[in-house]
């Protein structure tokens, strides 16, 4: 890693944030906004810890000895950048006290906030980091290269492009304009291709090597 100190700072900082969330949320200290529930002091801590994570990640990439950058790292770059955008755009507030906000700086509410949150949260918070793990762990466990490196590149770019536009499928029959809901459904159907492509890439990598994965798990 680029910095062991940043690694430990990232670890303990994140544990502190989790404890702060576990204490403040049951006390009712919350903004009541989806994926931005925590009050502004904790949000600032999240920003600092995430910046430390990003610096450590990009610093490690810069100092790498291998010139080629494997696709798993691409998924993590997408995660780091887009989750930062999600956190900033969804959390910018003007504080009026230690646990009180005055107003949203971005003035996004309702359907506008939902449009910001849903595409980015599902695609880049709940999907891309786990795909990055898959592309690293499965070849490592099977002790063989990924079935198709070309397919992994297509998987990445297709997923990154399509998933952003597929987010409105979470907001059907809501106040979202009909054209946005229809667009979300069309891109959701298109999303089947990269989703199945990535799945098949992982399964075919393990073809004939499932016993190795079972031994690691046990």
């Amino acid at each position: 890693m680029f910095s062991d100190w940043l690694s430990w700072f990232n670890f303990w900082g994140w544990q502190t944030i989790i404890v702060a969330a576990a204490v403040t949320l049951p006390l009712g200290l919350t903004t009541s906004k989806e994926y931005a529930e925590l009050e502004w002091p904790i949000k600032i801590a999240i920003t600092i810890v995430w910046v430390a994570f990003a610096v450590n990640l990009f610093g490690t990439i810069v100092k790498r000895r291998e010139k080629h950058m494997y696709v798993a790292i691409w998924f993590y770059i997408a995660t780091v950048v887009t989750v930062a955008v999600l956190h900033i755009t969804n959390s910018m507030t003007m504080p009026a006290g230690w646990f009180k906000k005055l107003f949203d700086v971005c003035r996004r509410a309702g359907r506008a906030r939902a449009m910001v949150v849903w595409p980015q949260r599902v695609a880049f918070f709940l999907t891309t980091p786990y795909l990055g793990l898959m592309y690293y762990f499965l070849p490592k466990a099977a002790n063989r290269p990924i079935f198709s490196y070309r397919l992994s590149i297509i998987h990445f770019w297709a997923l990154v492009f399509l998933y952003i536009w597929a987010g409105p499928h979470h907001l059907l029959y809501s106040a979202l304009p009909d054209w946005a809901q229809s667009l979300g459904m069309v891109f959701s159907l298109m999303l089947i291709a990269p989703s199945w492509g990535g799945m098949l890439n992982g399964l075919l990598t393990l073809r004939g090597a499932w016993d190795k994965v079972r031994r690691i798990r046990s």
Side-chain angles (χ1 to χ4, degrees):
M1 295 298 294
F2 173 69
S3 169
D4 288 339
W5 184 88
L6 282 177
S7 299
W8 284 110
F9 176 79
N10 187 202
F11 175 80
W12 288 112
W14 202 250
Q15 307 315 308
T16 304
I17 289 166
I18 292 173
V19 171
V23 171
T24 57
L25 291 178
L27 293 176
L29 300 174
T30 172
T31 64
S32 72
K33 294 187 303 183
E34 188 178 26
Y35 270 67
E37 295 90 348
L38 302 176
E39 286 289 358
W40 67 267
I42 306 176
K43 290 177 182 175
I44 291 177
I46 291 173
T47 303
I48 293 171
V49 169
W50 197 257
V51 168
F53 175 52
V55 170
N56 216 8
L57 174 69
F58 289 114
T60 304
I61 292 172
V62 168
K63 64 177 275 189
R64 71 187 187 277
R65 292 188 296 270
E66 178 65 39
K67 183 178 179 181
H68 181 75
M69 196 163 66
Y70 187 57
V71 69
I73 301 175
W74 293 25
F75 279 99
Y76 270 93
I77 291 174
T79 300
V80 168
V81 173
T82 315
V83 170
V85 172
L86 168 63
H87 178 66
I88 292 171
T89 56
N90 202 31
S91 301
M92 291 182 68
T93 57
M94 185 67 69
W98 277 107
F99 293 104
K100 224 19 119 171
K101 67 180 179 65
L102 187 59
F103 60 83
D104 292 336
V105 174
C106 290
R107 298 189 179 276
R108 284 196 174 96
R111 66 185 185 184
R113 183 177 296 281
M115 277 295 292
V116 170
V117 171
W118 275 99
Q120 296 183 59
R121 103 169 202 188
V122 177
F124 296 97
F125 187 69
L126 300 175
T127 302
T128 52
Y130 302 101
L131 289 172
L133 282 175
M134 182 200 80
Y135 275 111
Y136 171 78
F137 176 75
L138 290 188
K140 191 79 172 175
N143 195 26
R144 59 174 61 171
I146 195 73
F147 172 74
S148 172
Y149 182 72
R150 180 175 299 177
L151 182 58
S152 70
I153 300 299
I154 296 173
H155 178 205
F156 173 80
W157 287 111
L159 190 80
V160 167
F161 176 74
L162 294 177
Y163 222 143
I164 285 290
W165 302 101
H169 67 212
H170 296 279
L171 304 168
L172 298 180
Y173 305 108
S174 68
L176 203 67
D178 287 340
W179 67 265
Q181 297 184 40
S182 300
L183 188 70
M185 290 307 300
V186 170
F187 275 87
S188 298
L189 293 173
M190 296 167 63
L191 196 61
I192 293 174
S195 299
W196 279 70
M199 177 194 69
L200 291 173
N201 212 5
L203 291 176
L204 292 173
T205 300
L206 292 177
R207 184 174 54 183
W210 286 97
D211 58 313
K212 296 180 180 179
V213 179
R214 283 197 297 269
R215 283 202 298 271
I216 289 174
R217 191 176 70 176
S218 61

